[in-house]
């Protein structure tokens, strides 16, 4: 899967100045620098056309475009990402886990999108820290899972990316401000870089494992009492 990560520029900036660098990619991924804050009220009224810009760019490259954004739903703020494929908006995924107090609230969906490039799962920011989120997307047959961050807090993001790729047997990729990373199904880092535009050929493979555990003697559900 020919993928291009834009780690610093905005969507419009790339379209105007760096289109030649990203054209031909099957998947073009922006972090939260891509769109910034998107107001659903202004989008619906036609005052802004951020989502339409994403759709148009996907049509121009004849592929998939993914961009992080903060969304304002009539005063309710969420961390989100929009995905479009060949001129059509496929949907918006919200972050479902919020750490500590914040003006942003959790959304309510995890989804795998069936695209021209394959089945793509999306994780938003700290959702990566909750293994059950990537497990759900893997069980829904995602070929690759993209995680979008604003700014990394340290090494924990790469550690979790590698762990989730290994434990779920699915390729995972991260795009944030100034950094992109791709992990294969073995948990190995196949690419990591901080250039403005980072290109990668993500290998789509599934690593299904048979998992069993041994139970000796009498087994009881620990919640059932004794």
């Amino acid at each position: 899967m020919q993928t291009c990560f834009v780690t610093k520029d905005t969507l419009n900036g790339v379209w105007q100045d760096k289109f030649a660098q990203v054209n031909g990619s099957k998947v073009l991924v922006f972090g939260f620098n891509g769109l910034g804050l998107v107001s659903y009220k202004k989008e619906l009224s036609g005052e802004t056309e951020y989502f339409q810009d994403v759709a148009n760019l996907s049509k121009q490259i004849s592929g998939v475009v993914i961009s992080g954004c903060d969304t304002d739903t009539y005063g309710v703020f969420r961390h989100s990402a929009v995905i479009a494929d060949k001129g059509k908006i496929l949907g918006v995924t919200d972050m479902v886990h919020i750490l500590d107090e914040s003006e942003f609230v959790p959304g309510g969906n995890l989804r795998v999108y069936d695209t021209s490039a394959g089945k793509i799962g999306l994780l938003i920011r700290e959702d990566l820290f909750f293994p059950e989120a990537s497990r759900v997307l893997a069980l829904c047959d995602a070929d690759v899972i993209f995680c979008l961050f604003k700014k990394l807090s340290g090494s924990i993001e790469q550690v979790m990316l590698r762990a989730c790729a290994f434990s779920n047997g699915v390729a995972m990729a991260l795009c944030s401000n100034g950094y992109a990373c791709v992990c294969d199904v073995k948990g190995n880092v196949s690419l990591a870089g901080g250039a403005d535009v980072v290109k990668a050929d993500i290998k789509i493979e599934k690593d299904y494992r048979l998992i069993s555990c041994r139970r000796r003697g009498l087994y009881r559900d620990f919640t059932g009492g004794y």
Side-chain angles (χ1 to χ4, degrees), residues 88-166:
K88 180 181 178 181
I89 295 291
L90 299 183
V92 178
T93 291
D94 298 325
M95 179 173 162
V96 299
H97 300 91
I98 296 294
L99 297 178
D100 304 321
E101 294 184 0
S102 172
E103 64 175 325
F104 291 87
V105 300
N109 69 83
L110 288 169
R111 181 179 171 185
V112 173
Y113 296 91
D114 196 355
T115 77
S116 60
K119 296 180 179 179
I120 294 177
L122 294 181
L123 290 178
I124 314 302
R125 295 187 50 156
E126 284 82 3
D127 286 341
L128 179 64
F129 300 155
F130 297 84
E132 63 271 20
S134 57
R135 175 58 57 88
V136 166
L137 297 177
L139 291 175
C140 289
D141 205 28
D143 293 320
V144 59
I145 299 174
F146 289 98
C147 183
L148 308 184
F149 263 84
K150 281 192 174 180
K151 185 177 181 180
L152 303 186
S153 59
S155 62
I156 184 62
E157 290 85 1
Q158 189 185 98
V159 170
M160 290 302 301
L161 194 75
R162 297 181 65 184
C164 289
F166 173 79

Side-chain angles (χ1 to χ4, degrees), residues 38-52 72-74 92:
V38 179
S39 167
Y40 280 114
K41 180 180 180 179
K42 292 181 179 180
E43 287 286 293
L44 292 172
S45 67
E47 186 176 346
T48 61
E49 295 183 340
Y50 289 113
F51 288 170
Q52 188 60 45
D72 175 5
T73 310
Y74 296 88
V92 178

Side-chain angles (χ1 to χ4, degrees), residues 25 40 42 50 58 60-61 65 96 132 139 155 158 173 180 182 187 190 196 203 214 220-221:
S25 302
Y40 280 114
K42 292 181 179 180
Y50 289 113
S58 72
Q60 289 296 317
I61 69 169
V65 175
V96 299
E132 63 271 20
L139 291 175
S155 62
Q158 189 185 98
V182 178
S190 58
D196 291 353
K203 185 178 181 181
R214 181 181 179 184
R220 295 179 181 175
D221 185 346

